[in-house]
Amino acid sequence: MKNVLIIGSTGQIGTELTLELRKRYDGNIVAGYIPGAEPKGDLLESGPAEEADITDAKQIAEVVSKYKIDTIYNLAALLSAVAEVKPQLAWKVGMDGLFNVLEVARQYQCAVFTPSSIGVFGNNTPKDKTPQDTIRNPRTMYGVTKVGGELLSDYYHIRFGVDTRSVRFPGLISYIAPPGGGTTDYAVDIYYEAVRGNHFTCPIAAGTFMDMMYMPDALHAAIQLMEADPARLVHRNAFNVTAMSFDPEIIYHNIKRYIPSFTMEYKVDPLRQAIADSWPNSLDDSCAREEWDWSPVYDLDTMTQDMIAKLQGRIGK
Ligand code: SER
């Protein structure tokens, strides 16, 4: 029996992670939401839902107590590009919000998963095969909150014994809920436009390599890490994980194999490009492989085939 609270259950990761956890565990898998982002459809019908605003520690504590929650997946965040537009709110959600979650977890003895990101790295970080333990010097508010989140989560583990664990997600590609304001979002948008039969205008320049992952592997990573034997974990917050690395040309040509009429041009967005340029080209995720047997299933080509098939079912003409 596992009782889980997902904070941010209606976002890109939460929508799918909540349903996956409900398939795997028979306890209360509570979809936490904020007003204006209420769960609908399957998410609402397949289990309990409660308002759980990350900026309201009391509200989180009440939900944790009511459902005897033992694990919190803290998915509330503003992604990198939108966080540059709203840095104060990004801090409030990413740092003050995490502090609330960790305090509740300390009081109620919950395990906590909080995604970190390739956004923790910056211009001085080695770009290729970026190591697990290396320079984290981001110059974005998103990156600052993610580095701070890693440090605070490790602090709560060492100081108070809270079971905190995390991965540094790369760009996540999915077809159910859209991402909101990230730098890697082009790699999601490109599939939607291709399947709609539209021309795609790419905001990221050719030759810009970033790590990416298909959502089924991301869900698997989060759940597998939270189920891992703690005795094997040398690291905790947070593990490098990746599944593939490509630039816009590579994904474009891969999609064209299946949709030959698809066309693309570039109109680079300076904000997103500067962020992308400060992130790694490719991560070394050997620590995750060694410490909890991480291994992704999807590569670019198998992801493309599945994305196109799934999107054709959902939005295809
Ligand atoms: N996908 C995120 C972003 O682009 C990175 O973690 O902001």
Side-chain angles (χ1 to χ4, degrees), residues 38 102 126 133 139 170 189 201 241 257 261 288 304:
E38 288 84 359
L102 291 171
D133 299 311
R139 293 288 183 267
D189 300 339
T201 303
V241 286
R257 283 170 65 174
S261 60
T304 293

Side-chain angles (χ1 to χ4, degrees), residues 81 84 183 202-205 267-278:
E84 288 309 291
T183 301
C202 186
I204 297 293
K267 191 171 172 214
V268 171
D269 169 11
L271 171 66
R272 285 183 165 79
Q273 186 64 40
I275 296 174
D277 286 340
S278 76

Side-chain angles (χ1 to χ4, degrees), residues 203-258:
I204 297 293
T208 310
F209 280 78
M210 286 184 279
D211 288 277
M212 303 280 175
M213 186 183 292
Y214 197 29
M215 187 59 83
D217 280 327
L219 303 181
H220 186 57
I223 297 169
Q224 193 183 358
L225 174 57
M226 292 313 282
E227 289 181 347
D229 174 2
R232 285 181 62 197
L233 300 181
V234 179
H235 299 84
R236 278 180 171 268
N237 301 285
F239 285 92
N240 284 3
V241 286
T242 186
M244 61 193 93
S245 169
F246 55 74
D247 84 326
E249 284 295 304
I250 293 174
I251 186 173
Y252 168 60
H253 286 289
N254 190 252
I255 293 172
K256 258 181 106 65
R257 283 170 65 174
Y258 304 98

Side-chain angles (χ1 to χ4, degrees), residues 79-81 116-119 142 169-172 181-185 279:
L79 291 184
S80 56
S116 188
S117 163
I118 52 173
Y142 181 68
F169 276 135
L172 298 183
T183 301
T184 56
D185 294 10
W279 288 355

Side-chain angles (χ1 to χ4, degrees), residues 132 167 224 232 235 239-242 284-295:
Q132 171 67 38
V167 297
Q224 193 183 358
R232 285 181 62 197
H235 299 84
F239 285 92
N240 284 3
V241 286
T242 186
D284 173 355
D285 62 4
S286 50
C287 288
R289 291 172 185 268
E290 280 159 27
E291 293 174 37
W292 48 279
D293 306 321
W294 158 246
S295 175

